[in-house]
Amino acid sequence: MRTLVFATANLGKKEELEALLGPGWLVRSAADFPKLPEVEEDQPTFEGNAAKKAHAFAKATGLMALADDSGLCVDALEGRPGVFSARYAPGTDGDRIAKLLGELGDVPAGQRTARFVCALCLATPDGKETFTRGTCEGRIIGTPRGTHGFGYDPIFELPHGKTMAELTRDEKSAVSHRGAAFRALARMVSLSPIG
Ligand code: IMP
């Protein structure tokens, strides 16, 4: 059994990763290590933030550590909110959605293309690192739809016409940026294990 610590407090993400890695792996989370360092996500790229967290956790625990960073990149806004997705506006997910729709204004449907991006970094205590990235293409609609998920899901419409918030958890994992990045990681560690 190989062990890794996933630098997240989000149990849903941990369960999604466990299901994809299979029984050969023991996945621990930040919750199992009460004295972990607080890591500021101040890097200009998703990969930079993921690497910063993964290396800090690998060093602090002596275990192989995985960290993710994700966000929404809107083409008409030159990639915003990007790495600032969580902090784009103070308040709730609804406040951030309202700000994004306000910034987009009356940009026509054909120019509202966007993608969710998820970068993963797997780091070893001796400083080795490896990355995967998953993306999910869609477009930003004007009126939120759906009640599942979180964040910008209700305004992100997939090519088949449903928003991310209209998908079940398993349906979302099959098409999402995070699901794609997790599957790429699972393939990678099964082919060329690091650590
Ligand atoms: P984190 O990398 O999990 O901290 O996510 C950063 C931010 O990006 C979140 O707070 C959301 O605003 C946004 N985000 C990332 N993934 C998703 C998703 O699957 N759905 C909706 N919003 C997301």
Side-chain angles (χ1 to χ4, degrees):
M1 176 85 83
R2 298 162 73 198
T3 302
L4 70 78
V5 52
F6 189 5
T8 181
N10 182 327
L11 282 183
K13 285 188 191 175
K14 178 181 173 259
E15 285 167 14
E16 189 179 350
L17 177 69
E18 276 172 331
L20 286 165
L21 284 179
W25 285 87
L26 175 65
V27 180
R28 306 181 70 186
S29 80
D32 298 328
F33 299 89
K35 288 208 181 110
L36 285 175
E38 270 293 316
V39 182
E40 204 187 337
E41 297 185 18
D42 56 1
Q43 301 298 300
T45 62
F46 296 113
E47 276 77 6
N49 283 323
K52 190 175 173 189
K53 276 187 282 184
H55 285 295
F57 274 55
K59 207 176 257 179
T61 60
L63 294 170
M64 197 159 24
L66 179 74
D68 72 333
D69 192 35
S70 57
L72 175 67
C73 301
V74 180
D75 292 323
L77 302 179
E78 291 156 347
R80 287 194 310 280
V83 290
F84 298 106
S85 293
R87 294 161 280 163
Y88 183 49
T92 63
D93 283 341
D95 296 322
R96 284 178 279 282
I97 285 177
K99 175 166 177 191
L100 183 64
L101 293 180
E103 265 211 272
L104 262 180
D106 53 8
V107 170
Q111 291 167 36
R112 295 172 79 99
T113 49
R115 69 205 46 77
F116 279 120
V117 177
C118 174
L120 293 177
C121 178
L122 185 63
T124 60
D126 63 350
K128 277 187 248 150
E129 63 182 19
T130 180
F131 294 92
T132 64
R133 169 181 266 240
T135 58
C136 178
E137 300 286 332
R139 68 178 193 101
I140 305 300
I141 55 171
T143 308
R145 276 199 334 255
T147 54
H148 299 293
F150 70 100
Y152 301 92
D153 282 345
I155 53 167
F156 188 86
E157 190 182 70
L158 294 149
H160 59 40
K162 280 190 181 175
T163 69
M164 204 71 127
E166 292 176 311
L167 303 184
T168 64
R169 202 174 77 164
D170 286 352
E171 286 169 344
K172 177 174 172 180
S173 176
V175 296
S176 78
H177 50 310
R178 193 167 297 103
F182 281 162
R183 282 188 292 278
L185 179 86
R187 271 195 305 277
M188 204 177 58
V189 294
S190 70
L191 293 175
S192 58
I194 75 162

